[in-house]
Amino acid sequence: MRNSEGGFRRIENSLFEALIGAKLSGSAYAVLLVVIDRTIGFRRQSAGISLSHFQGQTGLSRQSVQQAIRRLEREGFLKVVRDSTRRSCYSLASHTDWQTGKGNHPSSLGKKITLDWERKSP
């Protein structure tokens, strides 16, 4: 395991906003973040990741990891290349194609957002 003390990962603003707007379960988010760590975190386009690595990083059961991967692949978040080895190869699909529900994201609402304290008159 790497020592991440003082480290960071550079994530494009558009990817970060897509993550915020993605309508995913907690397990799907966890699996997606592992893929982001192993790809963007290591400055790679794709990465071979074993199911046991996903389990160790997320604390999820093997079945939950597999279900999350299938959902992420089906909904266009991940691309998976499977072969006869124990590690499939994962890459992020273009986040501009993700179904994120951007209409509800604060950055898309502009001036429509009013904080509670702004609504109250003295």
Side-chain angles (χ1 to χ4, degrees):
M1 185 172 280
R2 292 176 286 141
N3 179 357
S4 60
E5 188 175 319
F8 63 92
R9 283 164 188 66
R10 268 191 163 179
I11 296 179
E12 294 176 33
N13 289 339
S14 59
L15 173 57
F16 190 78
E17 287 181 3
L19 284 168
I20 292 170
K23 296 178 192 262
L24 296 172
S25 66
S27 57
Y29 267 117
V31 167
L32 187 59
L33 288 174
V34 170
V35 175
I36 289 171
D37 176 50
R38 301 298 287 186
T39 56
I40 293 172
F42 285 88
R43 297 182 183 164
R44 296 180 181 159
Q45 292 295 318
S46 63
I49 309 171
S50 67
L51 291 176
S52 59
H53 181 78
F54 280 113
Q55 287 178 265
Q57 291 293 105
T58 63
L60 297 169
S61 70
R62 188 176 196 84
Q63 182 180 3
S64 293
V65 168
Q66 290 172 321
Q67 287 173 346
I69 290 169
R70 283 192 296 269
R71 178 181 178 195
L72 290 166
E73 187 177 21
R74 182 178 61 246
E75 294 184 10
F77 289 87
L78 288 182
K79 294 180 182 179
V80 183
V81 176
R82 294 170 177 84
D83 62 15
S84 59
T85 67
R86 297 177 64 88
R87 291 170 25 148
S88 295
C89 193
Y90 299 87
S91 60
L92 290 175
S94 173
H95 59 275
T96 57
D97 297 332
W98 292 0
Q99 296 298 318
T100 61
K102 281 186 179 179
N104 296 328
H105 189 270
S107 66
S108 67
L109 297 175
K111 299 279 183 192
K112 294 179 187 174
I113 297 175
T114 305
L115 301 174
D116 285 341
W117 59 268
E118 291 177 332
R119 283 189 214 136
K120 297 175 183 170
S121 38

